[in-house]
Short mmCIF file of all heavy atoms in Angstrom, two decimals:
data_model
loop_
_atom_site.label_atom_id
_atom_site.label_comp_id
_atom_site.label_asym_id
_atom_site.label_seq_id
_atom_site.Cartn_x
_atom_site.Cartn_y
_atom_site.Cartn_z
N PHE A 94 28.10 103.14 122.77
CA PHE A 94 27.05 103.28 121.74
C PHE A 94 26.83 102.01 120.96
O PHE A 94 27.78 101.37 120.49
CB PHE A 94 27.38 104.46 120.81
CG PHE A 94 27.67 105.75 121.58
CD1 PHE A 94 28.97 106.20 121.70
CD2 PHE A 94 26.62 106.40 122.18
CE1 PHE A 94 29.25 107.36 122.37
CE2 PHE A 94 26.90 107.59 122.88
CZ PHE A 94 28.18 108.06 123.00
N GLY A 95 25.58 101.61 120.75
CA GLY A 95 25.24 100.40 120.00
C GLY A 95 25.33 99.16 120.82
O GLY A 95 25.14 98.06 120.27
N ILE A 96 25.66 99.22 122.13
CA ILE A 96 25.72 98.04 122.95
C ILE A 96 24.46 97.95 123.81
O ILE A 96 24.08 98.90 124.46
CB ILE A 96 26.99 98.09 123.86
CG1 ILE A 96 28.27 98.15 122.99
CG2 ILE A 96 27.06 96.87 124.80
CD1 ILE A 96 29.52 98.27 123.81
N SER A 97 23.85 96.78 123.76
CA SER A 97 22.56 96.62 124.51
C SER A 97 22.81 96.50 126.01
O SER A 97 23.92 96.12 126.42
CB SER A 97 21.88 95.34 124.01
OG SER A 97 22.68 94.21 124.23
N GLY A 98 21.87 96.87 126.79
CA GLY A 98 21.98 96.76 128.28
C GLY A 98 22.55 97.98 128.93
O GLY A 98 22.70 97.99 130.16
N VAL A 99 22.94 99.00 128.18
CA VAL A 99 23.47 100.21 128.71
C VAL A 99 22.36 101.20 128.97
O VAL A 99 21.58 101.54 128.07
CB VAL A 99 24.53 100.85 127.78
CG1 VAL A 99 25.06 102.15 128.41
CG2 VAL A 99 25.67 99.83 127.59
N THR A 100 22.25 101.65 130.20
CA THR A 100 21.12 102.57 130.53
C THR A 100 21.45 103.98 130.02
O THR A 100 22.61 104.31 129.68
CB THR A 100 20.95 102.61 132.05
OG1 THR A 100 22.09 103.18 132.66
CG2 THR A 100 20.71 101.23 132.61
N LEU A 101 20.43 104.79 130.02
CA LEU A 101 20.55 106.18 129.60
C LEU A 101 21.46 106.95 130.50
O LEU A 101 22.27 107.81 130.06
CB LEU A 101 19.17 106.87 129.52
CG LEU A 101 19.11 108.29 129.01
CD1 LEU A 101 19.63 108.38 127.59
CD2 LEU A 101 17.71 108.81 129.12
N LEU A 102 21.40 106.69 131.84
CA LEU A 102 22.25 107.37 132.82
C LEU A 102 23.73 107.01 132.57
O LEU A 102 24.59 107.92 132.64
CB LEU A 102 21.82 106.97 134.25
CG LEU A 102 22.66 107.59 135.39
CD1 LEU A 102 22.58 109.11 135.33
CD2 LEU A 102 22.18 107.03 136.74
N GLU A 103 23.95 105.71 132.34
CA GLU A 103 25.33 105.32 132.07
C GLU A 103 25.88 105.96 130.81
O GLU A 103 27.06 106.38 130.73
CB GLU A 103 25.38 103.80 131.96
CG GLU A 103 25.20 103.05 133.23
CD GLU A 103 25.16 101.59 133.11
OE1 GLU A 103 24.73 101.12 131.97
OE2 GLU A 103 25.48 100.81 134.04
N THR A 104 25.01 106.07 129.85
CA THR A 104 25.43 106.74 128.60
C THR A 104 25.73 108.20 128.83
O THR A 104 26.75 108.74 128.30
CB THR A 104 24.34 106.59 127.51
OG1 THR A 104 24.05 105.22 127.30
CG2 THR A 104 24.74 107.26 126.23
N ALA A 105 24.88 108.87 129.59
CA ALA A 105 25.10 110.29 129.90
C ALA A 105 26.38 110.51 130.65
O ALA A 105 27.17 111.42 130.30
CB ALA A 105 23.91 110.81 130.69
N LEU A 106 26.65 109.66 131.67
CA LEU A 106 27.90 109.76 132.44
C LEU A 106 29.13 109.52 131.55
O LEU A 106 30.18 110.20 131.67
CB LEU A 106 27.89 108.76 133.59
CG LEU A 106 26.91 109.07 134.73
CD1 LEU A 106 26.92 107.88 135.75
CD2 LEU A 106 27.30 110.38 135.43
N TYR A 107 29.00 108.58 130.69
CA TYR A 107 30.08 108.25 129.75
C TYR A 107 30.37 109.42 128.79
O TYR A 107 31.51 109.74 128.50
CB TYR A 107 29.78 106.96 128.95
CG TYR A 107 30.93 106.59 128.08
CD1 TYR A 107 31.98 105.82 128.63
CD2 TYR A 107 30.97 106.95 126.75
CE1 TYR A 107 33.05 105.47 127.85
CE2 TYR A 107 32.07 106.57 125.97
CZ TYR A 107 33.09 105.81 126.51
OH TYR A 107 34.15 105.46 125.73
N VAL A 108 29.27 110.03 128.31
CA VAL A 108 29.43 111.16 127.43
C VAL A 108 30.18 112.33 128.13
O VAL A 108 31.04 112.97 127.57
CB VAL A 108 28.08 111.67 126.91
CG1 VAL A 108 28.20 113.01 126.22
CG2 VAL A 108 27.45 110.64 125.97
N LEU A 109 29.82 112.56 129.43
CA LEU A 109 30.51 113.60 130.16
C LEU A 109 31.98 113.28 130.35
O LEU A 109 32.89 114.11 130.17
CB LEU A 109 29.84 113.77 131.53
CG LEU A 109 28.47 114.42 131.57
CD1 LEU A 109 27.89 114.41 132.99
CD2 LEU A 109 28.55 115.87 131.07
N MET A 110 32.24 112.00 130.68
CA MET A 110 33.63 111.59 130.88
C MET A 110 34.42 111.64 129.58
O MET A 110 35.59 112.11 129.52
CB MET A 110 33.68 110.15 131.44
CG MET A 110 35.09 109.66 131.73
SD MET A 110 35.08 107.91 132.18
CE MET A 110 34.68 107.20 130.58
N TYR A 111 33.75 111.20 128.54
CA TYR A 111 34.44 111.21 127.23
C TYR A 111 34.66 112.63 126.74
O TYR A 111 35.72 112.94 126.14
CB TYR A 111 33.57 110.41 126.24
CG TYR A 111 34.27 110.20 124.91
CD1 TYR A 111 35.37 109.36 124.82
CD2 TYR A 111 33.75 110.79 123.75
CE1 TYR A 111 36.00 109.16 123.62
CE2 TYR A 111 34.38 110.57 122.52
CZ TYR A 111 35.49 109.72 122.46
OH TYR A 111 36.11 109.53 121.25
N GLY A 112 33.72 113.53 127.02
CA GLY A 112 33.87 114.92 126.63
C GLY A 112 35.08 115.57 127.36
O GLY A 112 35.83 116.32 126.74
N GLY A 113 35.20 115.22 128.64
CA GLY A 113 36.33 115.74 129.38
C GLY A 113 37.64 115.21 128.85
O GLY A 113 38.65 115.93 128.78
N LEU A 114 37.60 113.91 128.47
CA LEU A 114 38.82 113.35 127.90
C LEU A 114 39.24 114.01 126.57
O LEU A 114 40.37 114.26 126.32
CB LEU A 114 38.58 111.86 127.68
CG LEU A 114 39.82 110.96 127.38
CD1 LEU A 114 40.82 111.03 128.48
CD2 LEU A 114 39.42 109.53 127.09
N ILE A 115 38.21 114.29 125.77
CA ILE A 115 38.46 114.99 124.51
C ILE A 115 39.00 116.38 124.74
O ILE A 115 39.99 116.84 124.10
CB ILE A 115 37.19 115.08 123.67
CG1 ILE A 115 36.78 113.66 123.17
CG2 ILE A 115 37.35 116.01 122.48
CD1 ILE A 115 35.46 113.64 122.45
N ALA A 116 38.43 117.07 125.71
CA ALA A 116 38.90 118.46 126.02
C ALA A 116 40.33 118.45 126.48
O ALA A 116 41.18 119.29 126.08
CB ALA A 116 38.01 119.05 127.14
N TYR A 117 40.69 117.46 127.32
CA TYR A 117 42.10 117.35 127.80
C TYR A 117 43.01 117.01 126.60
O TYR A 117 44.12 117.55 126.52
CB TYR A 117 42.18 116.25 128.84
CG TYR A 117 43.61 115.99 129.32
CD1 TYR A 117 44.22 116.81 130.18
CD2 TYR A 117 44.31 114.89 128.79
CE1 TYR A 117 45.56 116.59 130.62
CE2 TYR A 117 45.66 114.66 129.17
CZ TYR A 117 46.24 115.50 130.08
OH TYR A 117 47.51 115.27 130.48
N GLY A 118 42.57 116.10 125.72
CA GLY A 118 43.39 115.76 124.61
C GLY A 118 43.62 116.92 123.64
O GLY A 118 44.71 117.14 123.18
N VAL A 119 42.52 117.69 123.41
CA VAL A 119 42.66 118.86 122.52
C VAL A 119 43.61 119.88 123.14
O VAL A 119 44.48 120.45 122.46
CB VAL A 119 41.27 119.51 122.28
CG1 VAL A 119 41.44 120.87 121.62
CG2 VAL A 119 40.36 118.62 121.49
N PHE A 120 43.50 120.11 124.47
CA PHE A 120 44.40 121.05 125.16
C PHE A 120 45.84 120.58 125.01
O PHE A 120 46.74 121.40 124.76
CB PHE A 120 44.03 121.12 126.65
CG PHE A 120 45.00 121.89 127.49
CD1 PHE A 120 45.03 123.25 127.51
CD2 PHE A 120 45.96 121.18 128.25
CE1 PHE A 120 45.98 123.97 128.27
CE2 PHE A 120 46.90 121.88 129.00
CZ PHE A 120 46.92 123.25 129.02
#
Side-chain angles (χ1 to χ4, degrees):
F94 305 107
I96 300 177
S97 60
V99 178
T100 65
L101 182 61
L102 178 60
E103 289 174 334
T104 301
L106 291 174
Y107 185 83
V108 168
L109 288 175
M110 183 188 70
Y111 187 66
L114 191 61
I115 291 175
Y117 176 79
V119 169
F120 170 80

